[in-house]
Amino acid sequence: MSYQNILVPVDGSDISFSALKHAAAIAKAFGSKVTAISVVAEDPFAAADFYYSPDMLKDYIQEAIKNAEEGLGKAKQLAEQQGVQIDTQVVRDSVAAETIIKTAESLHTDLIIMGSHGRKGFQKFFLGSFAQDVLGQTKLPVLIVKQ
């Protein structure tokens, strides 16, 4: 089986860049297209029980987009060092497995490669596993990178 379109969610963490490196190696072997995305929450304060100003939200979004673009720039540089061209995209939506899956489907992705922080025990119970959520909710193949 050959993969033509690979999606890699990048959050700026080392593990997400490790997933990007794996994606680049697979893309190089198969001649695949790689798209790295970074998700920025439209309204991260939606469930907050405090008042916030529109300026506060605007400042947050501007800073979050700047950070996402910096992370995607690093991802692009890492892929190009391996001889692979990639597309990058900031996705403004909720930071959820559904957003990754919806984006993967809209890009006609046939493989998602993502990092997992490998949380266990109480950490996993309280923080959940984003990679596990994607894996459990999509029919697409998912490669989980742990290092």
Side-chain angles (χ1 to χ4, degrees):
M1 164 162 282
S2 123
Y3 299 104
Q4 299 304 308
N5 295 302
I6 301 171
L7 180 72
V8 185
V10 173
D11 65 4
S13 66
D14 289 342
I15 194 68
S16 70
F17 294 129
S18 184
L20 188 278
K21 290 175 187 175
H22 278 76
I26 291 170
K28 194 168 187 175
F30 288 110
S32 309
K33 176 183 173 186
V34 177
T35 302
I37 64 167
S38 187
V39 180
V40 173
E42 282 287 324
D43 186 356
F45 307 119
D49 59 351
F50 63 88
Y51 294 102
Y52 59 93
S53 70
D55 288 337
M56 185 179 181
L57 181 60
K58 180 181 172 192
D59 291 344
Y60 161 79
I61 290 174
Q62 286 176 340
E63 188 68 21
I65 289 172
K66 178 182 162 236
N67 290 337
E69 288 172 344
E70 287 174 4
L72 291 171
K74 182 175 178 181
K76 189 171 193 110
Q77 182 181 33
L78 289 170
E80 288 174 351
Q81 286 173 353
Q82 293 189 42
V84 174
Q85 296 294 316
I86 69 168
D87 293 328
T88 62
Q89 181 179 346
V90 174
V91 176
R92 291 179 62 170
D93 203 335
S94 61
V95 180
E98 293 82 8
T99 301
I100 301 297
I101 295 164
K102 181 173 62 173
T103 304
E105 290 170 352
S106 73
L107 294 172
H108 306 289
T109 298
D110 49 20
L111 177 63
I112 299 170
I113 300 179
M114 59 190 307
S116 175
H117 296 279
R119 292 185 179 102
K120 295 179 181 175
F122 282 114
Q123 278 189 324
K124 184 175 181 181
F125 178 74
F126 287 113
L127 300 174
S129 171
F130 194 72
Q132 184 68 36
D133 289 345
V134 171
L135 183 62
Q137 294 178 36
T138 186
K139 294 181 185 208
L140 293 169
V142 180
L143 173 62
I144 306 294
V145 175
K146 293 183 127 188
Q147 296 182 6

